Amino acid sequence: MSRGEVAQTAKAYQVPAIERSMLILQALQQHGPLGLADLVSETGLSRSTCYYLVRTMAKAQLVESDEETRKYHLGIGLVELGSAATEQLGYLGVIKRYIFDLLEEMDATFVIYRRLDRGRVAIVDKVEPSHRLRVTVPLGTTLPIQGGSFGRCFLAYDHPTAVREILNAGLQRYTEQSITDVDRFLSEINGVRERGWALDREGFALGVSTVAAPMLRDGQPLLVVGAVAMAATLADDATVERWGRRLREICDSASTALHRHPRGSSGLDGGVALDER
Amino acid sequence: MSRGEVAQTAKAYQVPAIERSMLILQALQQHGPLGLADLVSETGLSRSTCYYLVRTMAKAQLVESDEETRKYHLGIGLVELGSAATEQLGYLGVIKRYIFDLLEEMDATFVIYRRLDRGRVAIVDKVEPSHRLRVTVPLGTTLPIQGGSFGRCFLAYDHPTAVREILNAGLQRYTEQSITDVDRFLSEINGVRERGWALDREGFALGVSTVAAPMLRDGQPLLVVGAVAMAATLADDATVERWGRRLREICDSASTALHRHPRGSSGLDGGVALDER
């Protein structure tokens, strides 16, 4: 089959109504409740197509319409499907989907760390690029929390007293780049809390640098995602900065997708909604 | 327009591809990962229809396919849409959707309670049947926690010492049916923890009975849903039992939809997954 034929076959595989309904769902996801006219202009679909689609989606509770405002919003059917999808993917499955997006743009091996106890961290999963030359780590490896950027991502959210206790027990010199001064280590940790990501340049293993960011839940790191690369790859600050920001972004996206904090009128995250309606 | 014409028009509004894709999503939601042959037999769709639909849905990440097992499962796109839907509906919006299912089968006014502090509860929302004769309550009303079945749903998950302190301050006699004996009140509370729902027969207001169940999050009541009815409606135990079980069910469904606890290989809810893969 020629490339053209492959493309044509691939196109023929698509069901237009599904693609169109995705346009509607994405518009609602992005903009919140929209009326039919807004949906038409956001999706570029005809008014009648839009109408048939939302009617059908409303029946499946993928969207719901507000009787008063005549606007459509995402429905309870999606809450249930999203819940089932999360069960099927698992936490790691969800964060890994976001990591896949980074494979193209960052020449790194992605490692997911979980904290075991105050002083130790375990590697619980990884996403590796397919090319041969890369830094790799065995799953299940246990690492000391002072070891690299990953550890600082956990420590940054600990109580300062607890951090001092861990650090006062002594900072190990893994390489000549390891930070062994407690005050310098603490200032690195402060930097992590401000930026939302951490950098380690050959402080844990010579020739290997890591940028890492925590995925937070209720303000605490649930897990940490690290991008492990050859030191040369992370030699310039612009790359480090870009990687740090991207890791921060995907951790935030995964966190939002997994742990919703509905705002507004629910009255369950702050005051009580006592309005008479 | 005759009824027949209305039905026909309503049918014409439906887009078959959306309805068919819902059959696929529901099969995956219900059974977990399925191969194409299983999808065909579960949905009753033809093999080629199924194939085109999953291909299109895979492109939108509504489903994903596992390269090894060749099975399809729900995808990350649904996690994101579900997250956005929860934001748009809010907690109360979600629990209310489940309550709507009860309107047909239970002749009650449904009240959602939130705890204000140790001793007080507020009515934060309600769902009422449309017929005229019903028990109603104003939103925002603050009620004492010893007042009815709703309060016992909160107290059942408090520390026993805290409960004793609240009860030792004195149990009020609202009606001649009120439980004013501390030990009997405590045994009612134990019953709630075992069954997952509570009953109050005219103990707070004469002529009014209530069945209530807590919606739990991490083992604590986030809110309580009560079915408030004329005492006569809840005169027989079979009805009480049925209402209690149904309230328990919808609270569990809403809780699962809102607060997922993925099981299995994620390694984040228990031990660490240390398998080499």
Side-chain angles (χ1 to χ4, degrees), chain A residues 76-148:
Chain A
I76 190 78
L78 287 172
V79 176
E80 292 181 346
L81 284 168
S83 176
T86 306
E87 291 252 346
Q88 290 182 16
L89 292 168
Y91 278 70
L92 290 180
V94 171
I95 186 76
K96 279 165 82 175
R97 291 307 178 287
Y98 290 93
I99 292 174
F100 289 145
D101 290 345
L102 303 181
L103 278 177
E104 293 283 301
E105 47 182 291
M106 285 156 69
D107 183 19
T109 291
F110 297 89
V111 179
I112 304 175
Y113 306 87
R114 191 192 172 197
R115 193 167 188 169
L116 287 177
D117 52 36
R118 289 176 62 196
R120 290 181 313 144
V121 164
I123 294 178
V124 291
D125 216 332
K126 59 181 173 177
V127 177
E128 296 181 301
S130 53
H131 59 75
R132 283 186 156 264
L133 191 67
R134 60 172 192 254
V135 185
T136 190
V137 285
L139 284 180
T141 306
T142 302
L143 303 165
I145 205 154
Q146 320 118 47

Side-chain angles (χ1 to χ4, degrees), chain B residues 174-194:
Chain B
Y174 302 100
T175 74
E176 58 204 39
Q177 304 302 326
S178 301
I179 302 171
T180 50
D181 177 70
V182 170
D183 286 329
R184 218 192 114 202
F185 201 101
L186 285 174
S187 104
E188 283 285 324
I189 285 178
N190 286 337
V192 172
R193 214 168 24 233
E194 282 160 27

Side-chain angles (χ1 to χ4, degrees), chain A residues 24-83:
Chain A
I24 291 175
L25 292 178
Q26 279 157 1
L28 295 175
Q29 180 179 0
Q30 215 174 332
H31 302 286
L34 293 175
L36 189 62
D38 298 324
L39 276 178
V40 167
S41 67
E42 284 297 330
T43 59
L45 300 170
S46 77
R47 192 178 169 85
S48 65
T49 300
C50 244
Y51 185 65
Y52 287 126
L53 287 169
V54 290
R55 278 284 300 221
T56 311
M57 287 195 282
K59 206 179 144 212
Q61 295 192 297
L62 298 176
V63 301
E64 295 173 18
S65 65
D66 185 305
E67 281 173 32
E68 275 173 48
T69 63
R70 312 283 276 162
K71 285 186 176 180
Y72 295 93
H73 57 81
L74 300 175
I76 190 78
L78 287 172
V79 176
E80 292 181 346
L81 284 168
S83 176

Side-chain angles (χ1 to χ4, degrees), chain A residues 222-257:
Chain A
L222 187 67
L223 48 79
V224 164
V225 179
V228 182
M230 308 286 178
T233 311
L234 285 170
D236 71 299
D237 291 342
T239 306
V240 167
E241 181 84 24
R242 184 166 56 81
W243 284 27
R245 274 204 312 267
R246 288 293 282 135
L247 286 173
R248 177 77 263 126
E249 280 167 19
I250 65 134
C251 284
D252 285 345
S253 299
S255 178
T256 305

Side-chain angles (χ1 to χ4, degrees), chain B residues 190-268:
Chain B
N190 286 337
V192 172
R193 214 168 24 233
E194 282 160 27
R195 282 193 307 271
W197 53 269
L199 163 70
D200 179 80
R201 274 201 178 112
E202 302 188 75
F204 192 51
L206 277 182
V208 177
S209 293
T210 320
V211 177
M215 181 180 136
L216 301 174
R217 175 184 196 169
D218 298 332
Q220 287 296 313
L222 187 67
L223 47 78
V224 164
V225 179
V228 182
M230 308 291 178
T233 311
L234 284 171
D236 71 299
D237 291 342
T239 306
V240 167
E241 180 83 25
R242 184 166 55 82
W243 285 28
R245 273 205 312 267
R246 288 293 283 135
L247 286 172
R248 178 75 265 126
E249 280 168 18
I250 66 134
C251 284
D252 286 344
S253 299
S255 179
T256 304
L258 283 166
H259 318 291
R260 299 84 153 258
H261 299 284
R263 290 173 288 266
S265 65
S266 78
L268 283 161

Side-chain angles (χ1 to χ4, degrees), chain A residues 138-206:
Chain A
L139 284 180
T141 306
T142 302
L143 303 165
I145 205 154
Q146 320 118 47
S149 59
F150 56 86
R152 279 166 235 161
C153 288
F154 287 107
L155 290 170
Y157 300 85
D158 275 1
H159 191 279
T161 318
V163 177
R164 277 225 173 251
E165 268 174 40
I166 294 169
L167 302 189
N168 284 341
L171 281 163
Q172 207 168 326
R173 180 177 296 280
Y174 301 101
T175 74
E176 58 205 39
Q177 304 302 323
S178 301
I179 302 172
T180 50
D181 178 71
V182 170
D183 286 330
R184 221 194 111 201
F185 201 101
L186 286 173
S187 104
E188 282 285 322
I189 285 179
N190 286 337
V192 173
R193 215 168 22 236
E194 282 161 26
R195 282 193 309 270
W197 53 268
L199 164 69
D200 179 80
R201 274 203 179 111
E202 303 188 72
F204 191 50
L206 277 183

